[in-house]
Amino acid sequence: MGVGEEEFEQEPYVGLEFNTADDARIFYGNYASRVGFKIRSGQLYRSRVDGSVCNRRFVCWKEGFQINSRTGCPAFIRVKKSDSGKWVLDQFAKDHNHDLDACEENHPANSQCKSSATTAKVVDLCRKPRIKQLDVVNNGCSSSSSIASAKRVKPGANEGQVKLEPFVGLKFDSANKAYQHYDTYAGNVGFRVRIGQLFRSKNDGSITSRRFVCSKEGFQHPSRVGCGAFMRIKRHDNGRWIVDRYQLEHNHELEVQMKANRGSASRKFLDEINETSEKLDIAKKHNGSLLKKHHMNNIGSDWYTVLHNYFQNRQAEDIGFFCAVDVQMGCCRSLFWADGRSRFSCSQFGDAIIFDTSYKQNNYVVPFATFVGVNHHKQAVLLGCALVADESTESFIWLFETWLRAMSGCHPKSIIADQDDSILQAIAQVFPSSHHRFSMWQIKAKECEHLSPLSSECKYEYEKCVYQSHTVGEFDAAWDALLSKYGLRENAWLKEMYEKRENWVPLYLRGTFFAGIPIDGGLDAFFYPYLNSQTSLEEFVVRYEQGLEQRRGSERKEDYNSFNLQAFLQTNEPMEEQCRRLYTLSVFKVFQRELLQSYSYLGAKIHEQGAISRYLIRKCGNENEKHIVTFCTSNLDVSCGCQMFESEGVLCRHALRLFQILDIRELPSRYILHRWTRSAEYGTIRDFDSGGSSHEIKAKMIWSLREIAAKYVEFGATSFEKYKLAYEIMHEGGRKLCWQRQTLTNF
């Protein structure tokens, strides 16, 4: 049903039906106005089948703890879409934890004026388009909305109406009004808006510029296509905000008749502005000292209490669970935790890690960061979690050192993280031997921002230089030619990126082990879609556990498949059978692809000196695709110019072709990395002399034994019979270890 006059005085109850989710929101807004509180749009949930919205939550305005005025109020309704297409109210919490105001005004769309005539107007218009309803309500009673219609926006209090399309020099009284202007423009044109990066003053920490971008900006999710449309505003000394950059063109189709509800996004941005204002007001009360509040987001007592209880429960269940708290001046600033499984996984798969801080770009309620690795099935595996309250260098140093301590001091060979000065400095101090690679989605976003004013020809030459150069000399020559041809030698961003080219240009990343994580992309967010920017305190732990279990369930499934299924052989090569027997299914597919491709290459010896020979391996019919492969006959060492083995850990097609020419039928054991084998999860340490320091080897032994012991405990506790068997096995093993220790001592 729609929202009609007969429902206007009704109280929510489970089973109440609506024609649309909007009807449910309007109904709850009307109810809230009568009772005396405001509402906000809460979380929405999408179908895993087609991605459509399947249920929605509408909550009290004081739900959550993002700003000081909120009290974590539990009042809400949730509506769920039924098979018939109706929206049914399936959950309802009536009680509030704060005082109600019987005369409270709600959001303009839900406002109720005292006049009965005005009330009738609102009821009659519930099924009409959103903008028209706003107009009628505004005519009936006062509203705080800055958007008067869909066609005109007032950018300043003392200025006349201006055209909706952004232009350089367009002025606004506040950043919120600039956002509303761009959001309304987006609705007319046919796209949605997200809040992009912000920049702060180094002097006082205040926000100096902001970017509002198309919702399809970036590459973090499959739905995003790296759209370059944006509007940037800059704050002037007089306090006004001025558009100094913008781009109108999109790289995707627009929805001309779009009827998106952007109210929640506007409210969210307004919350952020209010929160910033509150922080600045507090700072003024302390003799004008900001006390670094521009980058602090203290984990308050509510967060600490909830997570502390969760940590205690996990420690009781998992002897390997680790947690740490960063306390400064009596405040809980940051949290880190990792369960036993994550710590064990790090001993096997901590050689290449991703430090994911995408919460900063996506305006997450929770400043939640993750350490993620790649397991032997090429799946993302969790290596630790953190709540990062302070984005300073000191905070990240504490976090990295804590992670290192939890992981028994095993330093990664490489780490993928954002191009952030504080992160850069922290990595250089804590992981000095690790190769830091910038997040590619962030690079793409910055390319869109800084290269958008340039011609398409310039962009093409830039991409060719960066992504198609094969040697350092070739890259330097192409880069220099690009700067000269287009007059970009004074471009500050290009200068900075050239200085840091070893952190992002593919040419310079070759030869560094990244566990096969592609340079032009990365892994999906580990907890997607369970945790998102709107996940609240009340739901965080439950959703965290759900996401973790789903990921680990997928890992168990791949373990089962690797031990119980076999890939089809496509050649008669003994090395194919050898690798099928050892590799997991996912890694074997990578090897098999390279083996099949090797047959389309030819090889010829071009140099020989003692036991060292060099071969030119080129592709049939393509003279431009060729590589030099070096081979040592004394120890069967092979190295290729493409450096695939060094970066991915699987031999390339060029080296495999050379083995075929030299009639080497099986791969030397050094070219089958243990981390890619089916037995990698058991932590078997094959050669104590070949890999890692004594400290790292000991850490691997400890975690390997601890993981096996944990499985004995888990399985043995399922029944009394299994308990007796597990106890007998472990007791006998302990007896043998004691006997061996005594024997070695006597010897």
Side-chain angles (χ1 to χ4, degrees):
M1 68 181 70
V3 180
E5 216 168 316
E6 63 277 9
E7 288 86 30
F8 186 74
E9 297 295 333
Q10 201 169 32
E11 183 173 296
Y13 62 87
V14 173
L16 185 60
E17 292 187 345
F18 304 92
N19 289 331
T20 66
D22 246 4
D23 285 343
R25 176 184 49 75
I26 294 170
F27 168 84
Y28 193 48
N30 292 335
Y31 164 75
S33 295
R34 297 196 314 274
V35 174
F37 66 97
K38 301 177 184 179
I39 72 167
R40 290 189 293 114
S41 295
Q43 287 180 308
L44 58 83
Y45 303 85
R46 296 185 179 274
S47 166
R48 295 185 180 181
V49 178
D50 58 8
S52 61
V53 177
C54 58
N55 63 58
R56 297 205 60 156
R57 278 169 49 98
F58 303 108
V59 301
C60 174
W61 183 258
K62 291 184 179 291
E63 181 266 354
F65 298 90
Q66 297 95 310
I67 58 178
N68 294 339
S69 61
R70 298 188 183 175
T71 62
C73 180
F76 77 97
I77 65 167
R78 192 181 81 165
V79 290
K80 186 175 183 180
K81 191 173 185 181
S82 64
D83 295 337
S84 65
K86 296 277 189 179
W87 290 78
V88 181
L89 195 155
D90 69 334
Q91 289 185 20
F92 168 47
K94 179 179 180 180
D95 296 332
H96 299 257
N97 64 0
H98 56 90
D99 294 333
L100 301 178
D101 182 359
C103 299
E104 184 102 47
E105 286 187 2
N106 208 343
H107 188 276
N110 301 318
S111 295
Q112 301 300 313
C113 300
K114 295 181 180 179
S115 167
S116 59
T118 305
T119 300
K121 283 186 179 182
V122 175
V123 174
D124 292 340
L125 287 168
C126 283
R127 295 184 181 86
K128 294 185 178 182
R130 180 70 168 159
I131 295 298
K132 291 183 179 179
Q133 183 184 340
L134 278 172
D135 290 341
V136 173
V137 174
N138 288 339
N139 289 334
C141 58
S142 62
S143 169
S144 60
S145 173
S146 298
I147 304 178
S149 72
K151 295 184 178 181
R152 295 282 182 179
V153 174
K154 292 184 178 182
N158 302 319
E159 293 186 10
Q161 292 176 329
V162 298
K163 64 177 182 178
L164 198 60
E165 186 175 287
F167 60 89
V168 174
L170 183 59
K171 298 179 180 179
F172 302 95
D173 286 342
S174 69
N176 187 49
K177 289 185 178 180
Y179 174 82
Q180 290 174 333
H181 178 100
Y182 193 54
D183 189 47
T184 306
Y185 162 73
N188 285 349
V189 174
F191 68 98
R192 292 175 174 82
V193 174
R194 283 194 300 111
I195 299 168
Q197 289 177 308
L198 59 84
F199 301 89
R200 296 182 182 273
S201 167
K202 294 182 179 179
N203 297 325
D204 59 6
S206 60
I207 298 174
T208 57
S209 68
R210 304 202 65 128
R211 292 179 80 245
F212 307 119
V213 301
C214 173
S215 64
K216 293 184 178 292
E217 180 264 355
F219 299 89
Q220 298 95 312
H221 303 302
S223 62
R224 299 185 185 175
V225 296
C227 181
F230 74 97
M231 181 179 83
R232 193 179 84 165
I233 55 174
K234 190 173 184 180
R235 182 170 58 84
H236 278 220
D237 294 338
N238 60 6
R240 305 196 73 188
W241 295 79
I242 300 179
V243 175
D244 69 333
R245 286 187 187 178
Y246 73 95
Q247 178 171 318
L248 302 180
E249 293 77 17
H250 298 259
N251 65 354
H252 56 91
E253 294 183 0
L254 302 175
E255 303 173 47
V256 179
Q257 300 299 324
M258 179 176 161
K259 294 181 180 180
N261 176 16
R262 297 176 303 279
S264 60
S266 293
R267 287 193 296 274
K268 176 182 170 186
F269 181 67
L270 188 57
D271 291 345
E272 182 182 334
I273 296 296
N274 292 338
E275 181 179 9
T276 302
S277 299
E278 289 177 13
K279 288 182 177 180
L280 291 176
D281 289 341
I282 293 171
K284 289 176 182 177
K285 294 177 183 178
H286 290 82
N287 299 322
S289 174
L290 280 170
L291 299 175
K292 296 187 177 180
K293 289 185 180 290
H294 59 282
H295 57 66
M296 288 184 181
N297 182 19
N298 289 337
I299 308 302
S301 58
D302 297 303
W303 273 103
Y304 180 72
T305 301
V306 170
L307 290 177
H308 182 65
N309 292 337
Y310 171 70
F311 293 162
Q312 285 185 324
N313 293 334
R314 293 295 292 119
Q315 284 175 324
E317 302 168 359
D318 180 0
I319 60 173
F321 190 87
F322 178 98
C323 63
V325 183
D326 179 22
V327 179
Q328 295 182 19
M329 299 178 66
C331 296
C332 172
R333 296 291 313 290
S334 297
L335 299 172
F336 171 84
W337 71 95
D339 62 9
R341 181 66 190 178
S342 292
R343 300 176 72 187
F344 172 68
S345 296
C346 191
S347 70
Q348 297 304 307
F349 311 118
D351 43 9
I353 67 173
I354 299 173
F355 179 53
D356 184 359
T357 55
S358 55
Y359 73 88
K360 294 193 296 182
Q361 285 74 27
N362 296 325
N363 297 293
Y364 273 51
V365 172
V366 187
F368 180 59
T370 55
F371 293 87
V372 178
V374 179
N375 69 6
H376 54 322
H377 301 299
K378 287 190 168 288
Q379 297 171 309
V381 59
L382 188 65
L383 305 179
C385 302
L387 295 186
V388 185
D390 178 5
E391 296 167 9
S392 65
T393 301
E394 294 75 17
S395 180
F396 285 118
I397 288 175
W398 174 87
L399 180 58
F400 293 155
E401 288 178 342
T402 303
W403 180 84
L404 201 59
R405 188 169 69 254
M407 302 307 164
S408 303
C410 296
H411 286 250
K413 295 178 181 177
S414 58
I415 178 170
I416 300 174
D418 287 351
Q419 182 188 355
D420 182 282
D421 287 341
S422 56
I423 293 178
L424 276 168
Q425 295 172 29
I427 289 177
Q429 179 170 328
V430 183
F431 305 122
S433 60
S434 302
H435 195 132
H436 178 192
R437 183 176 116 189
F438 295 157
S439 303
M440 185 50 66
W441 70 265
Q442 189 187 40
I443 296 296
K444 291 291 185 183
K446 290 194 174 185
E447 287 175 348
C448 288
E449 176 185 357
H450 294 280
L451 301 181
S452 56
L454 306 179
S455 66
S456 56
E457 182 183 0
C458 178
K459 295 176 187 176
Y460 170 77
E461 292 188 24
Y462 166 84
E463 292 182 356
K464 183 178 179 181
C465 167
V466 171
Y467 301 107
Q468 298 182 28
S469 296
H470 297 290
T471 65
V472 172
E474 184 181 340
F475 171 79
D476 286 340
W479 186 272
D480 188 69
L482 178 74
L483 300 183
S484 298
K485 182 176 180 180
Y486 297 98
L488 299 173
R489 293 200 176 278
E490 300 306 316
N491 187 298
W493 180 74
L494 288 175
K495 283 183 179 180
E496 178 187 4
M497 296 310 291
Y498 181 78
E499 292 173 357
K500 299 177 179 177
R501 58 192 180 280
E502 294 182 355
N503 299 99
W504 66 281
V505 176
L507 166 67
Y508 291 90
L509 298 172
R510 285 206 309 249
T512 301
F513 185 76
F514 285 104
I517 302 171
I519 291 178
D520 59 350
L523 302 176
D524 291 336
F526 186 86
F527 285 96
Y528 177 81
Y530 293 92
L531 296 177
N532 56 48
S533 61
Q534 298 302 311
T535 302
S536 64
L537 167 64
E538 293 80 4
E539 297 180 303
F540 177 80
V541 171
V542 174
R543 288 176 166 273
Y544 168 84
E545 287 283 351
Q546 290 174 343
L548 188 58
E549 177 56 32
Q550 189 275 332
R551 285 284 192 173
R552 289 180 174 169
S554 298
E555 185 176 355
R556 289 191 294 268
K557 181 179 178 180
E558 284 301 312
D559 284 338
Y560 177 86
N561 291 341
S562 285
F563 278 100
N564 294 278
L565 302 177
Q566 278 195 333
F568 289 106
L569 296 177
Q570 300 193 36
T571 73
N572 294 322
E573 297 283 353
M575 67 174 59
E576 187 182 18
E577 170 59 33
Q578 173 196 15
C579 291
R580 181 177 71 168
R581 187 175 67 253
L582 297 173
Y583 282 143
T584 61
L585 288 174
S586 300
V587 178
F588 176 72
K589 290 178 182 178
V590 176
F591 168 81
Q592 191 177 58
R593 180 195 66 207
E594 294 300 311
L595 180 63
L596 295 175
Q597 288 292 328
S598 69
Y599 292 111
S600 62
Y601 285 77
L602 300 174
K605 185 185 291 186
I606 59 174
H607 177 77
E608 182 175 5
Q609 184 176 358
I612 305 297
S613 301
R614 291 191 181 89
Y615 292 79
L616 177 66
I617 307 296
R618 61 181 180 84
K619 190 170 186 178
C620 299
N622 187 352
E623 292 295 330
N624 294 325
E625 188 172 340
K626 53 190 176 183
H627 292 276
I628 302 296
V629 181
T630 304
F631 180 74
C632 179
T633 56
S634 62
N635 56 11
L636 302 185
D637 272 349
V638 65
S639 63
C640 178
C642 75
Q643 296 184 297
M644 176 178 172
F645 179 77
E646 289 79 3
S647 60
E648 192 167 346
V650 178
L651 271 183
C652 63
R653 59 194 68 177
H654 319 109
L656 294 176
R657 183 56 183 155
L658 179 58
F659 280 168
Q660 294 162 10
I661 294 172
L662 299 176
D663 198 30
I664 297 174
R665 312 302 296 278
E666 289 195 347
L667 295 184
S669 60
R670 72 177 70 90
Y671 296 115
I672 300 180
L673 295 188
H674 179 64
R675 74 161 345 270
W676 294 134
T677 64
R678 293 187 297 174
S679 60
E681 67 165 334
Y682 298 110
T684 306
I685 303 172
R686 300 179 302 170
D687 187 353
F688 285 85
D689 298 325
S690 62
S693 65
S694 59
H695 178 75
E696 291 176 341
I697 292 174
K698 183 177 180 180
K700 289 184 179 181
M701 289 192 293
I702 290 173
W703 284 111
S704 177
L705 293 171
R706 183 175 289 175
E707 186 70 11
I708 293 174
K711 289 184 178 180
Y712 273 99
V713 173
E714 180 182 354
F715 296 141
T718 56
S719 69
F720 186 67
E721 289 73 18
K722 290 182 179 179
Y723 159 76
K724 290 192 294 183
L725 178 60
Y727 184 85
E728 183 180 337
I729 293 172
M730 296 175 72
H731 182 73
E732 178 64 17
R735 189 184 65 79
K736 288 182 178 180
L737 283 173
C738 290
W739 174 82
Q740 186 181 31
R741 183 180 62 184
Q742 291 171 0
T743 303
L744 291 174
T745 302
N746 294 333
F747 180 79

